[in-house]
Amino acid sequence: MLWGGRFDKEINSVFLKFSSSIKFDIILLKYDLAVSKAHANMLGACGIISKNETSEIIKGLELIEERFYEGLWNPIDKNYEDIHSAVESYLTELIGEAAKKLHTARSRNDQVATGFRMWIKDAALRLSNLLLELQKTFLDLAGQHTRTIIPGYTHLQRAQPVSFAFHLLAYVEMFERDKTRLQNVFSQADVCPLGSGALAGTTLKIDRNMTARELGFSSVSANAMDSISDRDFVIDFLNSCTIGMMHLSRLSEELILWSSSEWNFIKIDDTLTTGSSLMPQKKNPDAAELIRGKFGRIQGSYVAVSSMMKGLPLSYNRDMQEDKEPAFDSFKTYSESLALMKDIFENIIINNERFIFEIEGDYMLATDIADWLVDHNIPFREAHNIVGKISRYAVENNTKLNDLTINELKDFCEVFDDSVLEILDINSSLDRKISFGAPNPRIVNEHIKSLKKSIEIESVNFNTKKNI
Amino acid sequence: MLWGGRFDKEINSVFLKFSSSIKFDIILLKYDLAVSKAHANMLGACGIISKNETSEIIKGLELIEERFYEGLWNPIDKNYEDIHSAVESYLTELIGEAAKKLHTARSRNDQVATGFRMWIKDAALRLSNLLLELQKTFLDLAGQHTRTIIPGYTHLQRAQPVSFAFHLLAYVEMFERDKTRLQNVFSQADVCPLGSGALAGTTLKIDRNMTARELGFSSVSANAMDSISDRDFVIDFLNSCTIGMMHLSRLSEELILWSSSEWNFIKIDDTLTTGSSLMPQKKNPDAAELIRGKFGRIQGSYVAVSSMMKGLPLSYNRDMQEDKEPAFDSFKTYSESLALMKDIFENIIINNERFIFEIEGDYMLATDIADWLVDHNIPFREAHNIVGKISRYAVENNTKLNDLTINELKDFCEVFDDSVLEILDINSSLDRKISFGAPNPRIVNEHIKSLKKSIEIESVNFNTKKNI
Amino acid sequence: MLWGGRFDKEINSVFLKFSSSIKFDIILLKYDLAVSKAHANMLGACGIISKNETSEIIKGLELIEERFYEGLWNPIDKNYEDIHSAVESYLTELIGEAAKKLHTARSRNDQVATGFRMWIKDAALRLSNLLLELQKTFLDLAGQHTRTIIPGYTHLQRAQPVSFAFHLLAYVEMFERDKTRLQNVFSQADVCPLGSGALAGTTLKIDRNMTARELGFSSVSANAMDSISDRDFVIDFLNSCTIGMMHLSRLSEELILWSSSEWNFIKIDDTLTTGSSLMPQKKNPDAAELIRGKFGRIQGSYVAVSSMMKGLPLSYNRDMQEDKEPAFDSFKTYSESLALMKDIFENIIINNERFIFEIEGDYMLATDIADWLVDHNIPFREAHNIVGKISRYAVENNTKLNDLTINELKDFCEVFDDSVLEILDINSSLDRKISFGAPNPRIVNEHIKSLKKSIEIESVNFNTKKNI
Amino acid sequence: MLWGGRFDKEINSVFLKFSSSIKFDIILLKYDLAVSKAHANMLGACGIISKNETSEIIKGLELIEERFYEGLWNPIDKNYEDIHSAVESYLTELIGEAAKKLHTARSRNDQVATGFRMWIKDAALRLSNLLLELQKTFLDLAGQHTRTIIPGYTHLQRAQPVSFAFHLLAYVEMFERDKTRLQNVFSQADVCPLGSGALAGTTLKIDRNMTARELGFSSVSANAMDSISDRDFVIDFLNSCTIGMMHLSRLSEELILWSSSEWNFIKIDDTLTTGSSLMPQKKNPDAAELIRGKFGRIQGSYVAVSSMMKGLPLSYNRDMQEDKEPAFDSFKTYSESLALMKDIFENIIINNERFIFEIEGDYMLATDIADWLVDHNIPFREAHNIVGKISRYAVENNTKLNDLTINELKDFCEVFDDSVLEILDINSSLDRKISFGAPNPRIVNEHIKSLKKSIEIESVNFNTKKNI
């Protein structure tokens, strides 16, 4: 315990187990060591501790890191309250007196907040990079499918023909927004609370800018009380994970539909599916199902942390210890899901021909006929009505649109002429869509090119913008 | 893998790690072994496997249990998909051929659902017992405080005097409902799905009633498809945990308020509080804060599982694997919180005298004066108005109600006479409340007595109603 | 205002608008009037008010009801805080002095809790009845489809053949649990808090059993403080709505899949679908989509109320006013969804023949072949492996199982003989499933019969068990 | 109906009521009219409709707006599906033929998304402005209280003395982040989807940049499918509202605590509190309670929309109609809460002297003594231990720190001398805190000054950056 002076009984063991965070905050070890090093350096530079003490502390902290990674020190074995106590306690064991000066002018409140913000910054960067990698996979695949015609759906009803590339690019756009959202989280976490003390700063002459700089923060926080009781960055992080997983849940739903016998549009590689313990013929899209299901887990974490913060008076309350597991678990789940999606799409087999026959002359071209009528001076609402009636006639006669004769069409509207038949050619249907953002292969190819370019620039930036 | 026949490539290792549930479903080992034993016995009794095979399987399963508890077999080390595969695989290692017959006429779908329902039944019983134990602690404490007067609050404003016993009994009532809710969960989980196969039963002549009986279920499920895709019992369990933790979060809030310098009503034992790493004088009610904070975690689990189930087509989907961790974690959190609360209240120090002086003649007695006026034929709404004016007069003159003279009172209403002064005696205020459910010490004592009696009966029943 | 005596400034108008609940709690008018009548009768019977006053009050309350339903009195127009103030204020206008005695020995705290519990009881009954009506529709439809073979899915992969009736019965089971859950909510709400006062009962000699009886409650609450700060029944109600809507969201997902071009299994009646403002050919399953989407709304209400209750100290806090809108909205949404589902299934067109051709000889029969092998003494795990290899062979050769010759089969396992070919007859596949709960038409018919019988009994009970 | 051509039966009336959105999307009227005007102008400029038709449409739309605001046209009365159908239908009534051309080259999918994004942009701006106004109130109040000493709390235990100004500034920092978050929402919504059609653009030569420019958007969306199925901006908006309300819930909790008899630190103005219908003396902080409670409502809306989006296949699904009510309701609740908070703090009465006596010589100064020891070369951990023991000694002897003699102090540590007594002067305690972000009045005053300056600049920007 770091706070025993006032107490004379042993802590209740159920309570210790209940309250100890070391089983999960060990993830912060790396950041805690960095925080302590920067703090020791600053204390030395400001003359609060001696140069000698500084260097002993630094060496001790480096030794701890070494021993931990070599498996020679396992803080979880001991009954520590948290990783911060564990480090200080082991440091005292290793270097003696000087260790007792490390906690000068700081509190666990600002120490934890600093380490956790560094973790969040790293997590945001790593997720961004996984999104960027997934975008590359999608763009490569899209490049091969700008003319692979599939039905575009609304209400899961076939609506208009699009290309598979176009469909994939919708997800690339979502991933783009996901990266922007994570960038905002990064910026928000990029404010250093170290030196805020328990809630009211300190009477000692410290240099907060120095520690912030050493730890890679862009600025220091302006109000100590807010600094140690702010967990907005965690909730914003969880919001980013929730929306990101929502996107993956939609993609998963599509993978599951496309893998069904009814759709029969893709095959997920055997290495990414499972069989059944009872039914020998099964090949199940489990990876997609699990990702879809795990959306709930991350959304639940958002609820957990936002509910935890509800109604807490200032400043720090122990409830806030519940901020970490949801963040750690969400990062793990979301990052693994992104990696798996990349594997799935890198090994996916597309049934290119699946819809060609069915789509030919399909009702999905009805909108284009309405546009043709508009081009021939029929007001849109009327054109819509005419083609609605044609569709119904075709359905009732169990025929496709391209089986209708010009005369049949003329019964619905006088202006029809042979040129309308070109509209019913599925192969040129994509090319006819000329508005910006449409599935026209030319537009789609340009979009792919421009996205690839911006992603390349980001990749370069990413490598230079790493956290500690 | 139990399903390899159809596949020839190795499973993707990221995917295996992502999808494996053995790290958490090992909790189900005990139940899975029981399920397999019951199933083997039934297969033997129905002549589907030989008596010999049955007894080999039973012996093998017993050996597994033994080795596991002796630490000689650790299924987590191996790359198993889940605890069910681990057991079957180890059984094959131990007893050879006969093991291959164990999965006859069952699927993991019905096997998992059965084991999980048994776990839920056990969890419901154990939580009920912890609630019952906590009630005992509260009733004992209440018995000592039927005349310890404290302010009763609404809107956190002092409203009317009550006793601490009365306040504690409000929680005993909540715990009573919590037990009923868990009993409903138990009943719902108490339907055996074993024999439902993957989703459509089996062509083999099995006896579902026999396995259900051996496993302690009250009935068997009536539709195989529903049996393996129903997770209502998990959501209902999580609802029980959420409401239960909501109650504990209210109690925690009160413990925190009561421990503050401002309230100064209780002292939580040193063994259940913590100090500060910076501020040497602190003694913090962390246990209560953590319990309050962990409400969010359990509520988040409710959201996780209900969102996961949203929109899933029948029947089993792998998403459903996400049903277990939230349930296991919620049980752990809730049961530990109940145990901690018991420790807290068994060692709590009550500042009996805290409010006596402040309450004497306080505005909190205003309602009783209004009732006195009603008894003297003033319509309640008018009485309320009169006493409102008296209160305001007292506030403005910075005086207490019992410092007002009869003449001052008469200025507000002619009917006042000396007998009203008895009303302002705080010591008799509880006795004057005579309606059923009021803080009258006589009524409260009767309530305690009747609750103790019913709890004793429950304790007996509990011991006979244990699960496997 | 009912509480003005102590105040002398006008209430802030933004605050009044923000805090007034009359725009939604007007729904409670009917219950509030009943509560007031019962209370007045009791006050009269106990001699707290005169017989004359009692009858004036009762008449006044009846007049209010009359005027409200005739549209002659609209409490929303006025600036009332809530429906309870509105009623008392109008009553005073109508009958004068006697009205001022109505609020004797009660508080809005117990008054509101009583009225709201009555509403919850009614809502639970009405939802139960809608579930029962939906079950009837499903059972009738199921009766026509015990031999309509469709694929049973797991992981949305075709698994084993089942009947459409069997599939429908899975939902009937869910609805059965939904009714039980609502019954538990009813029981929990069926405890009368009236007479608990603000939080501590009263000094007046009231008869709580009398009011409880008149209002149709089974018992009275035992602790006044808990009585007025308990909202468990609301959260349990919202849990019931959430799980119920989760079931409907699954059914909706299936309706949407079945309506797709790919599934082409059902047609939802035109009156229950919509078209597109742009694409003339569209017929969208909007009703199902909306129901699926509205799951989130109800789950969100669960979160809203449980979060609201988190950490509230005893007893009543104004936060609790936020309990009503989520309950009212969830009832409306859930009940309308149930009614719509009934309409959808009463007018649904089933494409009976959809799967017959595709299923014939399909891999879905693989499990049955494995069972055949088990019957011929091959251990299940081995049988599973053999059939897995056969399935893979068939897939690679692009052939169905019933196109394989006996000799081809014998290559995988010597024991195959001609009798295995019967297994590949899809028409007898359902009849071969003989375990309890299986899709065997005989078993399914018995299940339908027994459900119809128990539902009939319930219908009778329902009509006798109505609330006020 | 806009889509009737294909249908010949009347729509089911239950379904119409269930699915119609006009009761809430009427809020979008203003935006829908702007969208339609911009679209008509563009169709005219591109030669798709004539100049004449354009001007007829524009005039018609202006007439609709006029009649609506004059109360001459009420679209809710009619059985419209939504506000968009209502407008088109009424336009047709007003101007005839030309109206039928308005829907050329657009779909309700892109139309709704465009209008809703404009609403979100406006909502973000208006909330930002309310936050800014609230900040001003806080900064003014803080300016008066830089030397009003109050206990700073952690774990709701008194920790170190701070000033009320410092406490208020913690909230100003939160509001600052809330504005940044809303700014990010604004940027995300600021992408125009108009021209994306139903999901695949159009064959007509439209100019998407022109409409985007006219409607005040910064850019146009790049993929039509994503454009009409993206609701990220709604979830991000609800996340902003949730975190913002979480902040207000913390502030509310503090208002409630501060108003209690135990804290007795503030008085909320009578106009913003309520009384009791039973207890005449009560003055309840209802406004704060309601705001705290309404956090759940907004968090529930976040859950509602994120759950609704879960697992939806591309592109538009009718489920998405459930995106609006949660957004509208959250805006209303959050903006009213912000306005109320401003009223509360503008009329709050602070009990400046409340803590002075109690704080003098309090244990809260213990940290400063530890710092004094550090300044005198005692390692912090040892200093912490020494002061812990002193605190315990003082508690056991029921004395304050400033009542201890130097000799008593020396018993714990030799280095103590008279200069330590200055530390125990509460009046200088704030001035001794010299680190950046500490409650030192000089630092706090600088912080207030710099915040006031930046807020002034923002106010100017706000006025120029208005939406349509």
Side-chain angles (χ1 to χ4, degrees), chain A residues 116-161:
Chain A
F116 195 20
R117 279 173 179 265
M118 291 172 73
W119 181 89
I120 290 275
K121 285 171 65 184
D122 253 7
L125 282 181
R126 286 155 74 188
L127 289 169
S128 294
N129 203 37
L130 285 164
L131 282 159
L132 190 146
E133 290 297 321
L134 186 54
Q135 284 181 316
K136 283 184 193 166
T137 300
F138 268 54
L139 289 173
D140 286 345
L141 188 61
Q144 303 159 30
H145 291 283
T146 55
R147 289 206 171 273
T148 304
I149 299 181
I150 62 170
Y153 299 82
T154 59
H155 309 257
L156 212 63
Q157 293 289 307
R158 294 181 180 180
Q160 294 184 33

Side-chain angles (χ1 to χ4, degrees), chain A residues 31-223:
Chain A
Y31 306 98
D32 192 61
L33 292 171
V35 168
S36 286
K37 279 189 219 169
H39 190 64
N41 280 329
M42 183 276 288
L43 291 177
C46 294
I48 297 170
I49 63 175
S50 71
K51 296 287 168 200
N52 223 22
E53 287 162 342
T54 303
S55 86
E56 276 180 66
I57 291 173
I58 301 289
K59 271 184 219 148
L61 293 167
E62 278 163 359
L63 195 56
I64 288 177
E65 188 160 21
E66 221 179 283
R67 296 225 172 148
F68 177 76
Y69 286 108
E70 285 169 0
L72 301 172
W73 178 60
N74 183 358
I76 294 188
D77 283 354
K78 305 274 178 68
N79 278 335
Y80 294 119
E81 264 193 298
D82 56 26
I83 188 62
H84 318 290
S85 317
V87 166
E88 187 175 330
S89 161
Y90 191 41
L91 187 68
T92 310
E93 216 176 283
L94 291 175
I95 67 164
E97 279 304 286
K100 297 186 181 169
K101 298 202 166 179
L102 175 57
H103 210 60
T104 310
R106 80 175 183 189
S107 158
R108 265 185 304 181
N109 291 355
D110 57 340
Q111 181 183 358
V112 170
T114 307
F116 195 20
R117 279 173 179 265
M118 291 172 73
W119 181 89
I120 290 275
K121 285 171 65 184
D122 253 7
L125 282 181
R126 286 155 74 188
L127 289 169
S128 294
N129 203 37
L130 285 164
L131 282 159
L132 190 146
E133 290 297 321
L134 186 54
Q135 284 181 316
K136 283 184 193 166
T137 300
F138 268 54
L139 289 173
D140 286 345
L141 188 61
Q144 303 159 30
H145 291 283
T146 55
R147 289 206 171 273
T148 304
I149 299 181
I150 62 170
Y153 299 82
T154 59
H155 309 257
L156 212 63
Q157 293 289 307
R158 294 181 180 180
Q160 294 184 33
V162 301
S163 70
F164 185 51
F166 181 70
H167 194 115
L168 290 172
L169 288 188
Y171 284 99
V172 176
E173 291 292 299
M174 295 181 212
F175 302 149
E176 202 63 23
R177 286 193 298 277
D178 294 338
K179 287 188 304 185
T180 303
R181 201 173 289 110
L182 286 164
Q183 177 56 52
N184 292 338
V185 170
F186 183 95
S187 302
Q188 195 191 141
D190 195 22
V191 179
C192 188
L194 198 63
S196 297
L199 78 160
T202 177
T203 64
L204 301 165
K205 272 195 191 138
I206 58 171
D207 181 349
R208 293 186 57 199
N209 287 310
M210 185 180 162
T211 39
R213 220 164 29 235
E214 181 169 338
L215 295 170
F217 282 96
S218 300
S219 62
V220 300
S221 61
N223 177 284

Side-chain angles (χ1 to χ4, degrees), chain D residues 108-378:
Chain D
R108 264 185 305 182
N109 292 353
D110 56 341
Q111 182 183 358
V112 171
T114 306
F116 195 19
R117 280 173 178 265
M118 292 171 73
W119 181 89
I120 290 274
K121 285 170 65 184
D122 254 6
L125 283 180
R126 286 156 72 189
L127 288 169
S128 294
N129 203 37
L130 285 164
L131 282 159
L132 191 147
E133 291 296 322
L134 186 54
Q135 284 181 315
K136 284 183 193 166
T137 300
F138 268 56
L139 289 172
D140 285 345
L141 189 60
Q144 303 159 31
H145 291 282
T146 55
R147 290 205 171 272
T148 304
I149 298 181
I150 61 170
Y153 298 82
T154 59
H155 307 259
L156 211 62
Q157 294 289 307
R158 295 182 179 180
Q160 296 184 35
V162 300
S163 70
F164 185 51
F166 181 69
H167 195 114
L168 290 172
L169 288 188
Y171 284 100
V172 176
E173 291 292 299
M174 295 180 213
F175 301 150
E176 200 63 23
R177 287 194 296 279
D178 293 338
K179 288 188 303 186
T180 304
R181 200 174 289 110
L182 285 164
Q183 177 54 53
N184 291 338
V185 170
F186 184 95
S187 301
Q188 196 190 143
D190 194 22
V191 179
C192 187
L194 197 64
S196 297
L199 79 160
T202 175
T203 64
L204 300 164
K205 271 195 191 137
I206 60 173
D207 182 349
R208 293 187 57 199
N209 287 310
M210 184 180 164
T211 40
R213 221 164 27 237
E214 181 170 339
L215 295 170
F217 284 96
S218 300
S219 63
V220 300
S221 62
N223 176 284
M225 211 163 191
D226 174 58
S227 305
I228 56 94
S229 70
D230 168 31
R231 290 300 184 269
D232 289 7
F233 62 98
V234 187
I235 305 179
D236 270 318
F237 176 73
L238 292 172
N239 173 54
S240 290
C241 296
T242 299
I243 296 182
M245 278 299 278
M246 179 270 281
H247 293 153
L248 298 187
S249 80
R250 300 184 74 175
L251 184 55
S252 296
E253 173 86 3
E254 302 210 291
L255 288 169
I256 294 162
L257 292 179
W258 295 340
S259 301
S260 68
S261 294
E262 287 71 18
W263 246 272
N264 188 25
F265 177 52
I266 62 164
K267 281 204 198 317
I268 300 179
D269 195 70
D270 272 14
T271 59
L272 291 151
T273 58
T274 65
S276 154
S277 70
L278 174 60
M279 298 164 291
Q281 87 284 3
K282 292 291 296 295
K283 209 182 97 170
N284 299 322
D286 295 61
E289 293 169 273
L290 281 165
I291 292 173
R292 182 178 60 183
K294 281 173 191 288
F295 161 79
R297 183 186 191 108
I298 289 189
Q299 181 197 33
S301 290
Y302 180 93
V303 170
V305 178
S306 52
S307 284
M308 177 272 283
M309 289 299 291
K310 177 222 163 185
L312 292 185
L314 299 189
S315 56
Y316 180 80
N317 300 279
R318 186 69 182 269
D319 318 52
M320 290 180 191
Q321 178 173 306
E322 289 289 310
D323 59 352
K324 284 179 207 69
E325 281 171 288
F328 296 161
D329 183 76
S330 296
F331 171 72
K332 185 174 181 298
T333 302
Y334 184 25
S335 59
E336 288 176 0
S337 300
L338 287 167
L340 258 184
M341 276 295 182
K342 192 177 152 68
D343 282 355
I344 290 173
F345 278 88
E346 279 183 348
N347 297 286
I348 206 165
I349 295 166
I350 306 298
N351 185 352
N352 288 349
E353 313 294 306
R354 165 65 175 92
F355 297 106
I356 283 299
F357 175 76
E358 286 184 16
I359 280 180
E360 187 67 44
D362 189 79
Y363 309 111
M364 281 195 294
L365 296 168
T367 308
D368 290 5
I369 305 182
D371 282 354
W372 186 95
L373 286 168
V374 165
D375 247 0
H376 291 72
N377 274 318
I378 307 293

Side-chain angles (χ1 to χ4, degrees), chain B residues 23-72:
Chain B
K23 56 198 170 293
F24 54 84
D25 66 14
I26 193 166
I27 289 180
L28 296 181
L29 175 62
K30 168 174 127 184
Y31 307 98
D32 192 60
L33 292 171
V35 168
S36 287
K37 277 188 220 170
H39 189 64
N41 279 330
M42 183 276 288
L43 290 177
C46 295
I48 297 169
I49 63 174
S50 72
K51 297 287 169 199
N52 225 20
E53 287 161 344
T54 302
S55 84
E56 276 181 64
I57 291 173
I58 300 291
K59 272 183 217 149
L61 294 167
E62 278 163 358
L63 195 55
I64 288 177
E65 190 159 20
E66 221 178 283
R67 297 224 171 148
F68 177 78
Y69 286 108
E70 286 169 358
L72 301 172

Side-chain angles (χ1 to χ4, degrees), chain B residues 393-408:
Chain B
Y393 172 83
V395 170
E396 281 165 3
N397 289 279
N398 208 8
T399 180
K400 289 194 154 194
L401 290 183
N402 60 354
D403 290 334
L404 298 175
T405 63
I406 280 295
N407 284 343
E408 282 176 298

